[in-house]
Amino acid sequence: MITIENLVKRYTQDNADFLAVDNVSMEVGKGEICVLLGPSGCGKTTTLKIINRLISPTSGKICIDGQDTGKFDVVALRRSIGYVIQQVGLFPNMTIEQNIGVVPRLLGWDASRIRRRAAELLEIVALDPAVFLKRYPKQLSGGQQQRVGVARALAADPPVMLMDEPFGAIDPINREAIQDEFLKIQRAVKKTIMFVSHDIDEAVKMADKIAIFRAGKLEQFDAPDRILSAPANEFVANFVGRDRALKRLRLLTAADALAPGFAPGAGRAPATLSATDDLRIVVSLLYTHGVNSLPCSDEAGQHVGYVTQQRIGELLGAARS
C-alpha cells in the first residue's frame, strides 16, 4: 500500500514560488495499479519521483506498507522499488541477463541465483531465455527492450513499482500487445504500481484507480468507471473527453449487461456472446449482425441470458449526463 499525505513540492524561480505538487493526498491499495494523468507540467511525474526520492518533497509524507519513506536510507529505498521509464535505460554494454541482474548484484545475490531469476523473468515477460539471455539491447526491438525493462524492475521482487510513461515510445499496435502482456504479469505478481501516462485510454485499460492532476492539484482520484461516469468537474470531463460513454465499454462485460426477463422472438441467433466479453466486442457483434440482442453463455457454455442494445444504453446513460 502507498499512502500519500499532504504532499507539497515548492520551487522558487525568479523570487517567486511555484507549487509543482500542491497538497496532494491519496491511498493506493496493495496490488493496485494507480495511473497518474494530466496535462504536461501538472505534477504527475514530480509526484512519482518523490515516492523513491529522486526528488525531495517540501513537506508531506509518503508511506509504503505503513512505513515512512522519509526515514529510509535513500539508496536502500530505491533498491527496494522497481522503476521503469519510457526510454527503458538498458545498459548497452551489458547482456540482457546482466541488465536484469543489476539490482540483485548490488544486493549481494550470487551469480547462479541471478541467472535463474533472469531466466524466470524472461519467461514471465514472454521472451525465451535460451534466445534472449545472452543478447545485447541493440539486438532487441523497442517492444522487447521495454519487456526487459519491466523484467529488470521486477528482478529483486519489489513490493512497489513506479512506471513513467513506460509504453509511450512504442507504436500503437505493439503498445496494445505489451499492455495486455503487462496486465497478465500483474495478475501473477500483484505489485502495487504507480504509473504515469498521458493517454486516457491506456489509463482506463490499466488502472484500478486514476489520479487526474492540474497545476499541481489532484482534481479527482477514483476508479476508472467513476472518472468516466461521474467526472468531478468540467476540467476532468473535458480531459477524459466527450466520448467517455464509449470509453466505458472497455470496463463493462456482457455479464454486466444482461437484460433481466428479456425473451427474444423466434429464430436462431447469429452469434453467442461470452459473459467475459467486454462491451466493445458486444456492440461490434450487435452492429455486425444487425440485431438488437444476442444470447450470452458462461465459461462452461451454459446459457445465462441475453444482452440487448437497450440495456447497454441504460448502463452508459450515466456517462452521457
Side-chain angles (χ1 to χ4, degrees):
M1 178 185 292
I2 302 173
T3 305
I4 299 175
E5 299 179 9
N6 306 118
L7 190 66
V8 173
K9 179 60 183 178
R10 178 180 289 106
Y11 292 101
T12 300
Q13 187 174 10
D14 299 327
N15 296 319
D17 279 349
F18 166 67
L19 282 172
V21 180
D22 188 357
N23 199 35
V24 167
S25 296
M26 68 175 87
E27 184 173 284
V28 181
K30 188 172 183 178
E32 289 186 339
I33 298 176
C34 174
V35 176
L36 312 183
L37 279 177
S40 297
C42 68
K44 57 187 186 292
T45 297
T46 302
T47 299
L48 188 81
K49 290 181 176 180
I50 290 173
I51 294 172
N52 66 351
R53 285 164 59 195
L54 287 173
I55 295 174
S56 298
T58 302
S59 62
K61 184 166 73 171
I62 295 175
C63 294
I64 295 178
D65 292 336
Q67 299 186 49
D68 185 351
T69 59
K71 297 178 181 178
F72 284 41
D73 172 78
V74 69
V75 174
L77 175 67
R78 291 174 189 163
R79 289 179 183 175
S80 70
I81 295 176
Y83 193 51
V84 185
I85 58 174
Q86 180 175 327
Q87 296 81 9
V88 186
L90 299 179
F91 297 107
N93 61 325
M94 292 184 180
T95 65
I96 300 311
E97 178 184 329
Q98 290 168 333
N99 265 283
I100 293 173
V102 167
V103 171
R105 277 196 301 277
L106 292 171
L107 295 174
W109 292 22
D110 63 55
S112 61
R113 184 183 177 192
I114 292 172
R115 190 175 303 112
R116 288 194 304 271
R117 181 62 171 161
E120 174 191 357
L121 288 167
L122 286 181
E123 292 274 10
I124 288 174
V125 299
L127 295 173
D128 185 351
V131 174
F132 290 97
L133 271 177
K134 300 304 179 184
R135 288 191 178 181
Y136 287 86
K138 67 180 180 181
Q139 297 173 296
L140 276 60
S141 69
Q144 289 169 339
Q145 289 185 31
Q146 199 68 59
R147 293 181 189 211
V148 173
V150 171
R152 184 173 65 180
L154 289 167
D157 199 22
V160 169
M161 289 180 63
L162 307 180
M163 307 181 76
D164 193 356
E165 300 207 36
F167 312 132
I170 300 171
D171 65 89
I173 293 174
N174 283 319
R175 183 162 64 243
E176 186 87 11
I178 290 173
Q179 289 168 349
D180 291 339
E181 199 67 46
F182 182 79
L183 288 173
K184 288 181 186 176
I185 295 167
Q186 170 63 359
R187 284 193 287 272
V189 299
K190 295 180 175 61
K191 302 299 179 185
T192 305
I193 298 171
M194 299 286 278
F195 186 123
V196 167
S197 178
H198 65 278
D199 184 343
I200 180 63
D201 291 313
E202 179 172 70
V204 169
K205 177 177 182 176
M206 304 290 288
D208 297 294
K209 297 282 177 59
I210 295 175
I212 297 184
F213 286 76
R214 174 173 59 164
K217 290 184 177 294
L218 184 59
E219 294 288 331
Q220 188 168 357
F221 177 64
D222 224 324
D225 190 54
R226 287 286 301 166
I227 294 280
L228 294 173
S229 64
N233 53 42
E234 186 176 357
F235 170 79
V236 174
N238 289 336
F239 186 83
V240 300
R242 294 180 181 273
D243 64 339
R244 62 184 187 272
L246 296 177
K247 289 183 172 73
R248 289 188 74 211
L249 294 175
R250 179 189 290 279
L251 299 172
L252 299 168
T253 67
D256 297 318
L258 294 175
F262 177 80
R268 184 176 178 180
T272 298
L273 304 169
S274 168
T276 58
D277 287 340
D278 73 43
L279 289 193
R280 294 173 304 168
I281 295 171
V282 174
V283 169
S284 176
L285 287 171
L286 287 169
Y287 280 95
T288 296
H289 295 291
V291 294
N292 291 318
S293 67
L294 284 171
C296 181
S297 297
D298 62 17
E299 291 182 0
Q302 298 296 311
H303 176 76
V304 292
Y306 290 84
V307 178
T308 66
Q309 289 191 32
Q310 180 180 346
R311 178 60 181 149
I312 293 171
E314 291 170 356
L315 285 173
L316 298 181
R320 296 194 187 99
S321 61

